[in-house]
Amino acid sequence: MSPKIVDKELKTREIAQAALVLFSQKGYETTNVGQLAEIAGIGKGTIYEYFQTKEDLFIASINEWIEQDLTQMIALVDENDDPVIKLFTFIEGSMELHQNEDSSKIRLFIEFIKHAVMEDGIIYKKRNLIKEMKNRWVMMVVDILLHGVSKGVFKPEIARDAEKIAVNLLAYLDGISIRGLITEDAMENVPHTEYYIEGFFKSILAEPDKFGIYIKNL
Amino acid sequence: MSPKIVDKELKTREIAQAALVLFSQKGYETTNVGQLAEIAGIGKGTIYEYFQTKEDLFIASINEWIEQDLTQMIALVDENDDPVIKLFTFIEGSMELHQNEDSSKIRLFIEFIKHAVMEDGIIYKKRNLIKEMKNRWVMMVVDILLHGVSKGVFKPEIARDAEKIAVNLLAYLDGISIRGLITEDAMENVPHTEYYIEGFFKSILAEPDKFGIYIKNL
Amino acid sequence: MSPKIVDKELKTREIAQAALVLFSQKGYETTNVGQLAEIAGIGKGTIYEYFQTKEDLFIASINEWIEQDLTQMIALVDENDDPVIKLFTFIEGSMELHQNEDSSKIRLFIEFIKHAVMEDGIIYKKRNLIKEMKNRWVMMVVDILLHGVSKGVFKPEIARDAEKIAVNLLAYLDGISIRGLITEDAMENVPHTEYYIEGFFKSILAEPDKFGIYIKNL
Amino acid sequence: MSPKIVDKELKTREIAQAALVLFSQKGYETTNVGQLAEIAGIGKGTIYEYFQTKEDLFIASINEWIEQDLTQMIALVDENDDPVIKLFTFIEGSMELHQNEDSSKIRLFIEFIKHAVMEDGIIYKKRNLIKEMKNRWVMMVVDILLHGVSKGVFKPEIARDAEKIAVNLLAYLDGISIRGLITEDAMENVPHTEYYIEGFFKSILAEPDKFGIYIKNL
DNA sequence: CATGAATGAGCGTTCATTCAT
DNA sequence: CATGAATGAACGCTCATTCAT
């Protein structure tokens, strides 16, 4: 690849990343190309040097987001080797979505889901994009769980059900994040979530009674 | 004296209900007023005899949906007095959302959430509409739980945490329903859900070991 | 004519008169049929029992206005036999248009003129309607002038130029009325008008110097 | 760096000037944006690159017209230093409005007045625009009159009444111009006007009897 | 005879996209 | 390569008119 091509690729990604801000704030339909150009710091026509259509930019944005999000989470989880800390970090990282005042990630998630499932949604035919992403998240959690089993920290019998547990955990995290959005007080759901997490950990820990000790160290 | 007698309120509700079909299939922005008129079996201009704007029709549709959905579920749950059956019915009723080939309800949910949380969403300023609905669902579950406690079927100690449990259950159900949408095979999540439900019931039943017996009778 | 027909005619005129209120306030285009029905105290559909189109109602309104206006002025002028008083009454009656806070007549005049002269104006093809009316006003003034000449009050030589004088007076009265509309203070033009009238009377009176005496008696 | 260099201000004025043609022919309401675009030789959407709304274009048109009209008249009047010729030129210039087959200016005047005085007229709240314009015309005439007085051509005593005389003259010119519009034969009013002008000049000339001599030289 | 619910043509306006520069 | 002026299809909405009652 010549440097020129690398530059083009880089700029393409920069535009897609800039677009994420607006897509998460206003949604796809009510964000117009002029605004996308403005936030990317380029001219309206220049958008079309990098993307064939607004839809293409949207799809590229999803890809950016998926990549970014996963990479970030992987880095976060990899920081520590302790399975409990790994899982806890993962959950906390996911919760960041709604505890934070910046709920852009979960709003993006909703927007993307919408366009994946609506009949004439932009990514209705590229639904597998989201699906694959979701699967990669499942795999992350599964890996952590199996790692914990192999270390003797998690119950051995959960190995068989690791995928189910992972999917269910992720479903819960999505659901509680969305709930967080339609809540006046961002902290409202915190006790519920803590309650859930405690139950969750106790159900997978080899020594459930040690949950309190684990948690103290975090 | 109005010669052409029309039950304005009834027709208003009929149009709002017809609109739900398109709003759930295509979303708000990509459904145009002509299509809304067509599916309601009326002329484009007639929409404006019943609603001031397309936005108003959207909001009326939400209200129809909320009313419909809750009424339906209440009827379903009230059919039986046994707390376990009540809760099971409730969960199954919620799951219908994504096990069914008709996923219109969960798609509506996403569309409405989107417009509740996006900066220029139609119901951004009427977010409490959705919030209130969600609270009514929480109350339903809480009632079932407390009913079960008073009957000695559920553990007495969950009474204190009933709201947390309810919120968490609903969050999970939302999350797994959304997952169901981006899945090729509608049945894919069934085992995960069953696994979750088993764990859930065992965590609240006074006699967890009897879960198998309960479930056999359903 | 059967009484039914008389009733119909009467109601037709009543509607046309009621419409004048709105046509003078808002103009033809921005007044809609619903508003015309409301001010006439009838149903929207009923308008079409009496007029084929909104345009027809507009034309009928003009006719009502013309009739009304002339009849009123004739009555006013006929109250007295003195030519100076007649003429003065006439001018004052015309000025009423703009000295009054109710400038509906002059606004109607503008609206009607507009639709008489614009290419696709409602009465572009019935322009003679307005023209005839204007001529009848000219005749009124001419009659007063000739009456004054025959009574020796006005200069005999103006008989020859009576029509010119009449037309010019009317033109001035229209012009100053319109000016009155775009004036903040309704009284602003009063001194100008008085100045004009003094000059006008002095130019036609057989004994110009007696103008002061005449005016004192009014 | 804008590659396609367009003088935005110039084009804005060009569009506003082109619009004048239609506004004077058809009026504001019955001229649609497509037609305005067509006469300006641009696409419908392009109108909105230069004006926020159709109303704004209308207002800009008025401003163009006011500017144009005054500038033209000032140039005409300034051509000569003789007060009589100046005033005569002014009156003739004003009369052009209705002697000409192109009566667009007086039709515009009516349209603008209408929208200045009707309750929901476009420039009801910008009435002072028209008012200021009218005042500038008054000042032009006043200046000519005072110039004539200072040159000894006009009676010294009119200096005191210059404004009244000016307003009255302008009112007459407006009125007679409007009359010209609803006349079949454009020449019909010429003798009346001549009669008026003769009277007018004789009333202000220091030596009224010389009017015939003055007029001969024009 | 009187009505107002129903209608669609037509409006003003927006915006993704094109393309001359 | 970058631009923003230009565009017209498509939108939401209005309203004169019709007609079943």
Side-chain angles (χ1 to χ4, degrees):
Chain A
M1 272 182 257
S2 86
K4 277 280 153 204
I5 289 173
V6 170
D7 276 8
K8 179 132 194 170
E9 231 167 75
L10 180 66
K11 189 138 192 186
T12 303
R13 295 192 54 197
E14 281 173 1
I15 296 169
Q17 273 166 25
L20 280 174
V21 175
L22 292 179
F23 286 146
S24 76
Q25 263 170 27
K26 298 153 57 65
Y28 174 79
E29 289 92 346
T30 45
T31 303
N32 66 44
V33 175
Q35 293 163 339
L36 290 166
E38 197 188 354
I39 205 166
I42 57 175
K44 191 156 46 129
T46 312
I47 294 273
Y48 290 86
E49 294 288 324
Y50 295 89
F51 303 95
Q52 296 220 4
T53 62
K54 186 187 172 192
E55 296 199 359
D56 284 349
L57 169 51
F58 184 70
I59 292 163
S61 286
I62 302 178
N63 284 316
E64 276 308 310
W65 171 63
I66 289 174
E67 207 59 43
Q68 215 175 267
D69 221 31
L70 269 169
T71 312
Q72 226 170 277
M73 185 60 90
I74 288 167
L76 213 62
V77 166
D78 280 357
E79 273 175 12
N80 205 296
D81 192 55
D82 178 353
V84 174
I85 297 179
K86 267 183 186 296
L87 195 49
F88 209 87
T89 308
F90 179 87
I91 292 170
E92 283 231 309
S94 303
M95 303 305 297
E96 196 185 24
L97 296 175
H98 72 285
Q99 280 177 12
N100 220 319
E101 69 251 43
D102 170 26
S103 49
S104 64
K105 278 182 194 168
I106 182 69
R107 287 206 315 258
L108 267 178
F109 175 63
I110 289 168
E111 184 67 4
F112 291 155
I113 289 290
K114 169 188 161 155
H115 278 99
V117 302
M118 291 295 179
E119 230 162 60
D120 44 9
I122 308 300
I123 47 171
Y124 185 67
K125 268 144 197 167
K126 306 198 184 219
R127 236 172 320 176
N128 60 319
L129 237 171
I130 300 275
K131 203 176 130 194
E132 268 167 33
M133 172 196 65
K134 289 268 102 187
N135 286 145
R136 282 164 75 188
W137 284 81
V138 171
M139 283 309 125
M140 267 185 77
V141 177
V142 166
D143 285 348
I144 298 172
L145 291 174
L146 296 182
H147 178 62
V149 169
S150 74
K151 282 216 154 188
V153 180
F154 298 150
K155 288 180 195 160
E157 62 262 37
I158 69 160
R160 200 183 11 136
D161 298 319
E163 203 210 311
K164 289 175 193 163
I165 294 169
V167 166
N168 288 339
L169 175 63
L170 289 164
Y172 170 75
L173 291 171
D174 286 348
I176 202 72
S177 292
I178 290 170
R179 281 200 152 257
L181 282 178
I182 54 169
T183 262
E184 216 78 329
D185 174 12
M187 294 295 111
E188 191 184 308
N189 284 327
V190 172
H192 307 109
T193 311
E194 281 172 354
Y195 182 83
Y196 184 90
I197 292 170
E198 182 176 344
F200 175 72
F201 268 102
K202 284 185 173 166
S203 74
I204 60 168
L205 280 171
E207 296 176 276
D209 296 341
K210 286 198 178 159
F211 175 71
I213 299 163
Y214 283 124
I215 220 67
K216 222 178 284 169
N217 301 330
L218 292 170
Chain B
M1 281 157 273
S2 140
K4 203 184 275 184
I5 287 151
V6 170
D7 186 337
K8 207 128 192 182
E9 207 179 320
L10 179 65
K11 191 148 190 183
T12 302
R13 296 192 55 197
E14 281 172 0
I15 297 170
Q17 275 166 25
L20 279 174
V21 175
L22 292 180
F23 285 146
S24 76
Q25 264 171 28
K26 299 152 60 60
Y28 174 80
E29 288 92 346
T30 43
T31 302
N32 67 44
V33 176
Q35 293 164 337
L36 290 166
E38 200 185 351
I39 205 168
I42 55 175
K44 190 160 50 124
T46 311
I47 293 276
Y48 291 89
E49 295 284 326
Y50 294 89
F51 302 95
Q52 296 218 5
T53 62
K54 187 189 172 190
E55 295 200 1
D56 283 351
L57 170 51
F58 185 70
I59 292 163
S61 286
I62 301 179
N63 284 318
E64 277 307 310
W65 169 63
I66 288 174
E67 204 61 42
Q68 221 174 258
D69 222 31
L70 270 169
T71 310
Q72 228 169 275
M73 184 60 90
I74 288 167
L76 213 63
V77 166
D78 280 359
E79 272 174 12
N80 205 296
D81 193 55
D82 179 351
V84 176
I85 298 180
K86 266 182 186 297
L87 195 49
F88 210 86
T89 307
F90 179 88
I91 293 171
E92 283 231 307
S94 303
M95 304 305 294
E96 199 184 23
L97 296 174
H98 73 286
Q99 280 176 12
N100 220 322
E101 69 254 42
D102 170 26
S103 50
S104 64
K105 277 182 193 169
I106 182 69
R107 288 207 313 262
L108 268 177
F109 175 65
I110 290 168
E111 184 67 3
F112 290 153
I113 289 290
K114 170 188 160 153
H115 278 99
V117 302
M118 290 294 179
E119 229 162 63
D120 45 8
I122 307 301
I123 46 173
Y124 184 68
K125 269 145 196 165
K126 308 201 181 211
R127 237 172 322 177
N128 58 322
L129 235 171
I130 300 273
K131 203 176 131 197
E132 270 173 43
M133 174 195 65
K134 290 268 100 189
N135 286 146
R136 281 164 77 187
W137 284 83
V138 171
M139 283 309 126
M140 264 183 82
V141 177
V142 166
D143 285 347
I144 297 173
L145 291 174
L146 296 182
H147 178 60
V149 168
S150 73
K151 283 213 152 191
V153 182
F154 298 151
K155 289 182 194 158
E157 63 261 36
I158 69 163
R160 204 188 2 144
D161 299 318
E163 203 211 310
K164 288 175 193 163
I165 294 167
V167 167
N168 287 340
L169 174 63
L170 287 164
Y172 170 73
L173 291 172
D174 286 348
I176 202 71
S177 292
I178 290 170
R179 280 204 151 253
L181 283 177
I182 55 167
T183 262
E184 217 78 333
D185 173 12
M187 293 294 109
E188 193 183 308
N189 284 328
V190 172
H192 307 111
T193 311
E194 282 172 353
Y195 181 84
Y196 183 90
I197 292 171
E198 185 176 340
F200 176 71
F201 268 101
K202 285 185 172 164
S203 74
I204 61 168
L205 281 171
E207 297 174 275
D209 296 340
K210 286 198 180 157
F211 175 70
I213 299 163
Y214 282 123
I215 219 66
K216 221 179 286 171
N217 299 331
L218 290 171
Chain C
M1 274 183 253
S2 86
K4 279 281 152 200
I5 290 173
V6 169
D7 274 8
K8 180 130 193 171
E9 232 168 72
L10 179 66
K11 189 137 192 187
T12 303
R13 295 191 55 196
E14 280 173 1
I15 296 169
Q17 274 167 25
L20 281 173
V21 175
L22 293 179
F23 286 146
S24 76
Q25 263 169 27
K26 297 152 59 62
Y28 174 79
E29 289 92 346
T30 45
T31 301
N32 66 43
V33 176
Q35 293 164 336
L36 290 167
E38 198 188 354
I39 206 166
I42 55 175
K44 191 158 45 129
T46 311
I47 293 273
Y48 290 87
E49 293 287 325
Y50 295 90
F51 303 94
Q52 296 220 5
T53 62
K54 186 189 172 190
E55 297 199 357
D56 284 349
L57 168 52
F58 184 71
I59 293 163
S61 285
I62 301 179
N63 284 318
E64 276 309 309
W65 171 64
I66 289 174
E67 205 61 42
Q68 215 175 266
D69 221 31
L70 268 170
T71 310
Q72 227 170 278
M73 184 60 89
I74 288 167
L76 212 63
V77 167
D78 280 358
E79 272 174 12
N80 205 296
D81 193 55
D82 179 352
V84 174
I85 297 180
K86 267 180 186 298
L87 195 49
F88 210 86
T89 307
F90 178 88
I91 292 170
E92 284 231 308
S94 303
M95 303 307 294
E96 199 184 22
L97 297 176
H98 73 285
Q99 280 178 9
N100 220 320
E101 71 250 43
D102 171 26
S103 49
S104 63
K105 277 182 193 169
I106 181 69
R107 288 207 315 260
L108 266 177
F109 175 64
I110 289 168
E111 184 67 4
F112 290 154
I113 289 290
K114 170 190 159 153
H115 278 100
V117 303
M118 290 294 177
E119 230 162 60
D120 45 8
I122 308 299
I123 47 172
Y124 184 68
K125 269 145 196 166
K126 305 197 184 221
R127 234 171 324 174
N128 60 320
L129 237 172
I130 299 274
K131 202 176 131 194
E132 268 167 31
M133 172 196 66
K134 290 267 100 184
N135 284 145
R136 282 164 74 188
W137 284 82
V138 171
M139 282 311 125
M140 265 185 79
V141 177
V142 166
D143 285 349
I144 297 173
L145 291 174
L146 296 182
H147 177 63
V149 169
S150 73
K151 282 213 154 191
V153 181
F154 297 150
K155 288 181 195 158
E157 63 263 36
I158 69 161
R160 199 182 15 139
D161 299 319
E163 203 210 311
K164 289 176 192 164
I165 294 168
V167 166
N168 288 339
L169 174 63
L170 287 164
Y172 169 73
L173 291 172
D174 286 348
I176 202 71
S177 291
I178 290 170
R179 282 202 150 256
L181 283 178
I182 54 169
T183 263
E184 216 78 329
D185 174 12
M187 294 295 108
E188 191 183 308
N189 283 328
V190 172
H192 306 111
T193 311
E194 280 172 355
Y195 182 84
Y196 184 90
I197 291 171
E198 183 175 343
F200 175 71
F201 268 102
K202 283 185 173 165
S203 75
I204 60 168
L205 281 170
E207 296 174 276
D209 296 340
K210 287 199 178 156
F211 176 71
I213 298 162
Y214 283 123
I215 221 67
K216 220 178 287 170
N217 301 329
L218 291 171
Chain D
M1 279 152 272
S2 140
K4 200 185 273 181
I5 288 152
V6 169
D7 187 337
K8 206 128 193 182
E9 206 179 322
L10 179 65
K11 191 147 189 184
T12 302
R13 295 192 55 196
E14 281 172 359
I15 296 170
Q17 275 165 24
L20 279 175
V21 175
L22 291 180
F23 286 146
S24 76
Q25 263 170 27
K26 299 154 58 62
Y28 174 79
E29 288 93 346
T30 43
T31 302
N32 68 44
V33 176
Q35 292 164 337
L36 290 166
E38 202 186 349
I39 206 167
I42 56 176
K44 188 155 59 118
T46 311
I47 293 277
Y48 291 89
E49 294 285 324
Y50 295 88
F51 302 95
Q52 297 220 4
T53 61
K54 187 189 171 191
E55 294 199 0
D56 284 349
L57 170 50
F58 184 70
I59 292 163
S61 285
I62 302 179
N63 285 318
E64 277 307 309
W65 169 64
I66 289 174
E67 203 62 41
Q68 217 176 261
D69 220 33
L70 269 170
T71 311
Q72 226 170 275
M73 184 60 89
I74 289 166
L76 212 63
V77 165
D78 280 357
E79 272 174 13
N80 205 297
D81 193 55
D82 178 354
V84 175
I85 297 180
K86 265 184 186 297
L87 195 49
F88 210 86
T89 307
F90 179 87
I91 292 170
E92 284 229 309
S94 303
M95 304 305 294
E96 198 184 23
L97 295 176
H98 72 286
Q99 280 176 12
N100 222 321
E101 68 253 45
D102 170 25
S103 51
S104 64
K105 277 183 194 169
I106 182 68
R107 287 207 315 259
L108 268 177
F109 175 64
I110 290 169
E111 184 67 3
F112 290 154
I113 289 290
K114 170 187 161 155
H115 278 99
V117 301
M118 291 294 179
E119 230 162 63
D120 44 9
I122 307 300
I123 47 171
Y124 185 67
K125 268 142 196 168
K126 308 201 180 213
R127 235 171 325 175
N128 61 321
L129 234 171
I130 299 274
K131 202 177 131 196
E132 270 172 44
M133 173 196 66
K134 291 268 99 188
N135 285 145
R136 282 164 75 189
W137 283 83
V138 171
M139 283 310 124
M140 265 185 78
V141 177
V142 166
D143 285 348
I144 298 172
L145 291 174
L146 296 182
H147 178 61
V149 169
S150 74
K151 282 214 154 190
V153 182
F154 298 148
K155 289 181 193 158
E157 63 263 37
I158 70 161
R160 200 185 11 141
D161 298 319
E163 204 211 310
K164 288 175 193 163
I165 293 167
V167 167
N168 287 338
L169 174 64
L170 287 163
Y172 170 73
L173 291 172
D174 285 348
I176 201 72
S177 292
I178 290 170
R179 281 203 150 253
L181 282 178
I182 53 168
T183 262
E184 217 77 333
D185 174 12
M187 292 295 108
E188 193 184 307
N189 283 327
V190 174
H192 308 112
T193 312
E194 282 173 353
Y195 183 84
Y196 183 90
I197 292 171
E198 182 175 342
F200 175 72
F201 267 103
K202 283 185 173 166
S203 75
I204 61 167
L205 280 170
E207 296 174 274
D209 297 339
K210 285 197 180 158
F211 175 71
I213 299 163
Y214 281 125
I215 221 66
K216 223 180 283 170
N217 300 332
L218 292 171

